[in-house]
Amino acid sequence: MALMVASAPTESAELSAPRAVYIHVPFCRHRCGYCNFALEAGRDYLIPRYLAALRRELELRVSANGCRVDTVYFGGGTPSRLDGRQLDELFAIVRETFSWSAESEVSLEANPSDIHQDLARCLAQGGVNRVSLGAQSFHPDKLRILERDHDAATILRAVDICRSFARSVSLDLIFGAPGESLADWGLDLQRAREVPIDHLSTYELTFEKGTRFWNRVLRGEWSPANEDLRADMYELALDSAAQRGWEHYEISSFAAVDMQCLHNITYWNGAPFWGFGPGAASFIGGCRLTNHASLLTYCRRLEAGLVPTQTSEHLEPVRAAREQLAIGLRMLCGVDRQEFSHRWGRPIDDGLETAIAELQACDLLQENDARLKLTRRGILLYDGVAARILAPH
Ligand code: SF4
């Protein structure tokens, strides 16, 4: 299947004004055993305080109202955890500062069991036109292991409801759950192919330090899927997308024609973006800003009239260029030599001559039409490719 060259929504220079906004909504019903995101589980009473703090953050950090943006992404956590009135307020807060057209991409992450007709009306009114559903699996046993509160029928109902108002519906699926076989994963992919969606993201289950799943591995109750099985599962996802005629456009992302997630492409292209909410990161003017991840610290700082930034890092140009190359390679269309050198004022392999030559010799990187891109083997071993680029000596 030919790979399309995806383009960023508009701007590409890191010093231009951001055209993408991320809003972190840090609430979930319950913390899944594998999750280490910045969020509050079972503390919905903090939602009004969060909304007031978010309004204050936008007032403090964005000097001009009405900034035009091309993509807005409500992520979490679980933004659909908010009720209709709270979502109305959330959308109003963001609209007070940013404006966008009907063609813009407005995404919201949702739990399938939160989706019902009233919520759909609220999302449609708020301008949401892309919904990313955290399905994770269609198997009851796997969903139970992953501590998810929905079943396959709930996913199908949620997709139907979302299709009634959104122009794009995406599913997230996880592979490599404890005890999952290649055949089990094949059934999940088959079910996903039968569902009328436009986009699929597949993630390998990771066992992050400090999570309950990590502790179960430490106690010897579970063992992560072995490397060969994980590679086979990943390759099965590639084959499944190809069977559907979809484009594999980023390591974990598959889409029907013209249905790539433009917001995420902003990140992979290294374009500037705003991020608001606890733990959210921004990249503006060559500077990476990260907010305090604790919701209470975030709220307290804003209630005291202080910005909630915890770290601010100005990336020196060589570092920024290397990071951009490493993250840009996540896109299967790769990185264009000429665009890269125009943007960064240095050739793509400046200081990386040996590293890139070695990665090519090991069949991890290839070059076609002056674009540097991952090979099939490089896709499977991306972490090693990125590490070699970020630490070339
Ligand atoms: S629903 Fe998603 S964000 Fe919330 S705890 Fe589970 S994995 Fe984490």
Side-chain angles (χ1 to χ4, degrees):
M1 181 173 43
L3 289 173
M4 290 169 52
V5 177
S7 58
T10 51
E11 308 279 354
S12 63
E14 77 281 6
L15 293 177
S16 57
R19 303 283 298 193
V21 179
Y22 174 78
I23 306 289
H24 189 69
V25 184
F27 297 95
C28 287
R29 179 186 63 80
H30 140 101
R31 181 179 286 276
C32 305
Y34 56 91
C35 182
N36 68 346
F37 291 169
L39 59 89
E40 298 291 334
R43 299 181 78 189
D44 293 357
Y45 61 89
L46 289 170
I47 293 174
R49 193 170 169 192
Y50 155 78
L51 289 171
L54 181 69
R55 173 174 270 124
R56 192 80 188 107
E57 185 187 3
L58 286 159
E59 288 166 358
L60 283 177
R61 289 189 53 209
V62 189
S63 47
N65 282 354
C67 293
R68 297 287 294 180
V69 289
D70 299 312
T71 66
V72 183
Y73 195 105
F74 297 94
T78 315
S80 60
R81 184 77 197 148
L82 274 56
D83 66 26
R85 199 179 39 77
Q86 291 164 336
L87 281 169
D88 287 344
E89 189 178 344
L90 175 69
F91 299 142
I93 288 169
V94 180
R95 283 252 187 222
E96 281 163 18
T97 303
F98 294 103
S99 64
W100 56 89
S101 72
E103 285 73 49
S104 303
E105 179 189 270
V106 183
S107 303
L108 180 131
E109 292 179 347
N111 186 348
S113 53
D114 291 336
I115 299 290
H116 49 75
Q117 294 293 356
D118 288 346
L119 191 89
R121 271 190 288 278
C122 166
L123 299 182
Q125 264 172 18
V128 172
N129 52 32
R130 182 176 184 279
V131 182
S132 175
L133 293 166
Q136 316 313 354
S137 175
F138 294 88
H139 283 282
D141 292 347
K142 183 169 157 190
L143 285 166
R144 187 180 42 73
I145 287 172
L146 295 174
E147 304 178 3
R148 306 306 298 236
D149 63 356
H150 56 264
D151 57 17
T154 310
I155 298 170
L156 301 183
R157 192 170 56 241
V159 170
D160 271 354
I161 293 175
C162 291
R163 288 215 74 81
S164 69
F165 70 92
R167 61 178 180 235
S168 175
V169 181
S170 177
L171 290 190
D172 284 357
L173 291 181
I174 284 180
F175 62 91
E180 184 179 19
S181 68
L182 188 60
D184 294 334
W185 173 234
L187 286 173
D188 260 345
L189 291 168
Q190 186 185 325
R191 293 297 299 273
R193 282 199 305 277
E194 293 162 2
V195 178
I197 52 172
D198 318 281
H199 188 278
L200 178 71
S201 300
T202 59
Y203 301 104
E204 178 184 321
L205 180 65
T206 53
F207 295 83
E208 305 292 340
K209 198 170 179 182
T211 62
R212 288 195 302 284
F213 277 29
W214 164 266
N215 291 333
R216 293 188 74 158
V217 170
L218 277 189
R219 290 199 298 266
E221 294 169 19
W222 281 347
S223 48
N226 71 49
E227 203 175 315
D228 286 348
L229 176 57
R230 285 184 278 135
D232 288 347
M233 287 176 154
Y234 180 71
E235 298 226 49
L236 203 56
L238 307 194
D239 295 342
S240 174
Q243 242 178 295
R244 200 170 185 168
W246 278 13
E247 182 190 10
H248 179 206
Y249 72 101
E250 186 269 340
I251 289 177
S252 305
S253 312
F254 308 88
V257 176
D258 292 337
M259 287 296 182
Q260 302 105 326
C261 177
L262 299 180
H263 183 85
N264 287 342
I265 288 175
T266 299
Y267 301 144
W268 299 319
N269 277 346
F273 57 88
W274 291 105
F276 302 97
S282 305
F283 180 53
I284 304 168
C287 198
R288 185 185 295 133
L289 308 161
T290 309
N291 281 350
H292 283 276
S294 151
L295 174 61
L296 284 179
T297 306
Y298 170 84
C299 289
R300 283 189 194 119
R301 283 189 68 86
L302 286 156
E303 286 156 6
L306 302 169
V307 290
T309 309
Q310 182 173 30
T311 59
S312 165
E313 182 190 7
H314 190 83
L315 298 181
E316 54 95 14
V318 172
R319 176 83 194 164
R322 284 188 185 155
E323 285 197 9
Q324 173 45 40
L325 175 57
I327 196 160
L329 286 171
R330 291 192 65 92
M331 301 273 298
L332 269 75
C333 60
V335 179
D336 183 88
R337 274 189 179 273
Q338 207 179 342
E339 276 174 26
F340 189 94
S341 56
H342 175 70
R343 175 171 172 189
W344 296 101
R346 65 188 71 238
I348 203 166
D349 35 17
D350 184 31
L352 292 173
E353 296 85 351
T354 309
I356 288 178
E358 281 176 11
L359 291 167
Q360 287 179 316
C362 294
D363 188 29
L364 295 166
L365 276 186
Q366 59 184 322
E367 185 160 351
N368 306 113
D369 301 329
R371 295 187 79 86
L372 209 54
K373 54 181 87 167
L374 297 171
T375 60
R376 178 109 172 180
R377 187 170 134 79
I379 295 169
L380 288 166
L381 299 172
Y382 168 77
D383 289 349
V385 174
R388 187 77 180 94
I389 288 167
L390 293 172
H393 302 300

